[in-house]
Structures are given as structure tokens and as C-alpha cells.
Amino acid sequence: DAQFGNRMGAVLDIATNKTFDEQLSGNVDVNLIMSEAMLNYKPVDKGFISLSGRRSYYDLFLPKSLFSEIEFIAWPQFYDYQLEGGYDFNKKYKLSALFFGTDDYMSFKFADANDTRVQEFGINNISWQSGYDVQSMHLTSALSNSNYILTSIYHRNNYNITDLGGIYYVSA
């Protein structure tokens, strides 16, 4: 809990679910835009593994020739994943590992190069891609009931690519 006098603000404490009632559980959701799945596994009493992911899939099933006939296209394309595992050695020491990442892609295409929008701006394709991958490992050491030491190592890779009809801006 946090307290802030008469200030406006927020404190967010986001944590993944690390308690599972069953040894193996999960769910799957399939709809017109994407599919997503989650699997939780508790192989031992003091450990867990959790895997989840989702992906859009119009680009996998619809033929590319279909999109060349459409005057204007703006379809998002994405995936993300998360793999987490942990083990409680005892009440004082806990080890966990987390791997997660995402990739998002959006493209705006004008099929006809003679389109007035293409002539006005000089471009017929605008696209944006952004994503990241993170791998981390954490050792939590309990000093008391309310004081902990968290020792972490991690690696992160970010990227942003913007294409303005042949004019590229890349940020990594």
C-alpha cells in the first residue's frame, strides 16, 4: 500500500498469477481476428510454469492477391508471448524466470498509384512495426515478513521501424 497526501497519481502493482489450484490448467480462445492460448503447469508443489500467447492471423489465411484489389488497406498484425517459471526453495528464497515479447505491424496501402492521395503526398504505402523481447531471471530473498531483496538480471531488445513509402526511420 502507498499513501500520497493530497496528490493525484497512481501506483500500479501488476503481477502474473503464480498460484494454481490444479496441476494442469489452461484455456484457448479462437475468433475472427486472433487466437490466444494459456497453459499453467505445476510439476512440483513449490514450482510452476506458465505459457501464454496470441496472434492475429488474417495474413496467414487470406491470399495476398485479395488485398491488391482493395483500394485502401489498414489491417493490424500482431503477436505476443509470455513464458514464466518459478521455484520456491524455501520460505526465504524464490527463483523465477520470465520471457516475453511482442511484435506489432500496421500498414496503410493505396492500391492505385494514380489515387489523388498518393499524388498529393507522394507515397502509396505507410507502415509501422514495433516490438520487443525481454528475458529475465530474479532471485527474491526475504529478510523479514515485509522486507525483500530482489536480485535480477535481464536482457531487452526493442525496435521501431517506420516506412513512409521508401523513406525509412529505424529506431532500435
Side-chain angles (χ1 to χ4, degrees), residues 5 11 19 21 23 26 63 65 69 74 98-100 106 109 113 134 137 161 168 172:
V11 175
T19 59
D21 295 333
Q23 186 175 6
S65 60
E69 302 300 321
L98 179 62
F99 305 88
F100 64 96
M106 176 68 93
K109 296 179 183 179
V134 177
M137 186 165 285
I161 302 169
Y168 290 95

Side-chain angles (χ1 to χ4, degrees), residues 108-123:
F108 300 95
K109 296 179 183 179
F110 299 101
D112 183 4
N114 295 319
D115 189 307
T116 56
R117 294 167 289 197
V118 173
Q119 293 173 355
E120 182 179 341
F121 297 110
I123 54 178

Side-chain angles (χ1 to χ4, degrees), residues 30-127:
V30 177
N31 58 51
L32 293 174
I33 298 173
M34 68 176 186
S35 292
E36 55 187 323
M38 181 183 68
L39 178 67
N40 297 318
Y41 179 54
K42 190 174 182 178
V44 293
D45 197 29
K46 296 182 177 185
F48 73 94
I49 298 171
S50 181
L51 173 66
S52 62
R54 64 184 183 150
R55 190 196 194 290
S56 62
Y57 47 71
Y58 82 91
D59 59 307
L60 297 175
F61 299 115
L62 297 178
K64 299 243 184 246
S65 60
L66 173 69
F67 294 108
S68 63
E69 302 300 321
I70 299 174
E71 180 182 324
F72 180 72
I73 303 169
W75 282 91
Q77 199 175 317
F78 60 89
Y79 73 82
D80 52 54
Y81 66 91
Q82 177 177 315
L83 172 64
E84 183 176 18
Y87 185 78
D88 296 348
F89 293 106
N90 53 41
K91 290 184 179 184
K92 188 172 181 178
Y93 297 105
K94 299 176 184 182
L95 182 66
S96 64
L98 179 62
F99 305 88
F100 64 96
T102 185
D103 183 76
D104 298 297
Y105 179 77
M106 176 68 93
S107 178
F108 300 95
K109 296 179 183 179
F110 299 101
D112 183 4
N114 295 319
D115 189 307
T116 56
R117 294 167 289 197
V118 173
Q119 293 173 355
E120 182 179 341
F121 297 110
I123 54 178
N124 69 340
N125 179 28
I126 300 170
S127 64

Side-chain angles (χ1 to χ4, degrees), residues 133-150:
D133 291 297
V134 177
Q135 303 84 34
S136 64
M137 186 165 285
H138 312 279
L139 176 64
T140 305
S141 306
L143 299 176
S144 67
N145 287 340
S146 61
N147 295 317
Y148 295 90
I149 295 176
L150 178 64

